[in-house]
Amino acid sequence: MTERLVIAIDGPSASGKGTLAKRLAAHFGLPHLDTGLLYRAVGWAAFRTGRAPEELAAQLQASELDNPELRGDEAGQWGSKVAANVEVRANLLKLQKEFASKATGAVLDGRDIGTVICPDAPVKLFVTASPESRAERRYQELRGRGVDTIKPRVLAEMAERDRRDSERAAAPLRAAPDAWLLDTSEMDADAAFAAALAFIERKGFRSAGP
Ligand code: CDP
């Protein structure tokens, strides 16, 4: 019997981890959880309602994750603020652990997947890229969605969020010691997918599909 495939993907914002996670999930026919959405949903709801983020995290429903407003930079900043709260993290842990333990296997992406959520995952990727190329991607993505912004602002907001995510005491953004580092600064989405797939296949995992 082959080992259950759990792919843990971590990295800073706009490193390409979300796109990579989606593509790997589709390739291997695995369910995918974008864990950043959980923090975005809690941060956004706390900001909109004034309710305690710990309470919101404990009661989070999957239906709340469909809100398109969660994709914006404002929700990202609120998400990163509540993500430093130990109780919020603890209240989101069970949902993530359950998702990761599905019999089918799973793909999860975030900041602490390889270190906290799935420390035993057989495949761990840490996706990075230079701040300039990440800011350029985020800028293009925002422009594509019709958001009016300028590059220096995107770069500054990203740097602020990276700093908060890396310096916080609770589950800071770190590569797990056994994670494979993938620098996508000079890669497009296809090249990043090909590199990650080759790594996973070297570990003996193959898609069950045609
Ligand atoms: O899409 P992007 O990478 O910019 O952000 P995201 O993955 O949606 O995450 C939003 C925020 O949630 C991050 O800035 C982190 O502070 C927090 N987060 C976290 O603390 N742990 C995770 N596993 C995922 C996200």
Side-chain angles (χ1 to χ4, degrees):
M1 207 183 96
T2 42
E3 196 181 355
R4 206 168 59 90
L5 177 56
V6 174
I7 306 178
I9 308 182
D10 291 299
S13 64
S15 54
K17 64 184 187 311
T19 306
L20 180 61
K22 271 194 213 98
R23 291 187 61 170
L24 289 172
H27 179 83
F28 288 103
L30 297 174
H32 166 224
L33 181 64
D34 168 1
T35 64
L37 263 186
L38 308 176
Y39 294 93
R40 285 169 178 262
V42 170
W44 189 244
F47 161 64
R48 295 295 284 256
T49 64
R51 288 179 56 197
E54 302 83 7
E55 212 178 282
L56 291 162
Q59 296 162 2
L60 189 70
Q61 301 292 319
S63 58
E64 290 172 62
L65 306 179
D66 296 332
N67 178 1
E69 281 176 321
L70 298 184
R71 307 273 169 193
D73 264 4
E74 211 185 339
Q77 291 290 353
W78 284 108
S80 146
K81 282 181 189 149
V82 298
N85 178 323
V86 185
E87 239 182 289
V88 166
R89 302 199 76 84
N91 290 349
L92 291 175
L93 199 69
K94 187 163 165 257
L95 187 159
Q96 296 176 83
K97 290 250 187 203
E98 276 175 8
F99 193 94
S101 61
K102 283 179 192 289
T104 48
V107 180
L108 291 90
D109 74 275
R111 302 290 188 288
D112 63 343
I113 308 303
T115 50
V116 176
I117 307 294
C118 309
D120 300 327
V123 173
K124 295 183 187 179
L125 307 173
F126 192 83
V127 186
T128 59
S130 68
E132 293 72 25
S133 44
R134 291 191 287 117
E136 175 65 28
R137 279 179 205 157
R138 183 48 52 89
Y139 174 71
Q140 297 300 345
E141 183 197 326
L142 290 170
R143 292 293 298 250
R145 284 199 269 121
V147 179
D148 186 22
T149 188
I150 52 168
K151 249 185 255 180
R153 181 165 165 208
V154 175
L155 188 62
E157 286 191 352
M158 228 181 56
E160 184 194 335
R161 190 139 70 88
D162 284 352
R163 196 166 42 248
R164 200 184 299 124
D165 289 348
S166 316
E167 290 177 0
R168 69 183 179 212
L173 171 66
R174 292 266 183 287
D178 52 347
W180 188 64
L181 251 59
L182 179 63
D183 185 332
T184 66
S185 304
E186 306 294 327
M187 290 182 183
D188 62 12
D190 286 345
F193 173 69
L197 185 58
F199 169 73
I200 296 168
E201 288 184 345
R202 281 200 299 278
K203 288 194 156 253
F205 293 100
R206 292 269 182 284
S207 155

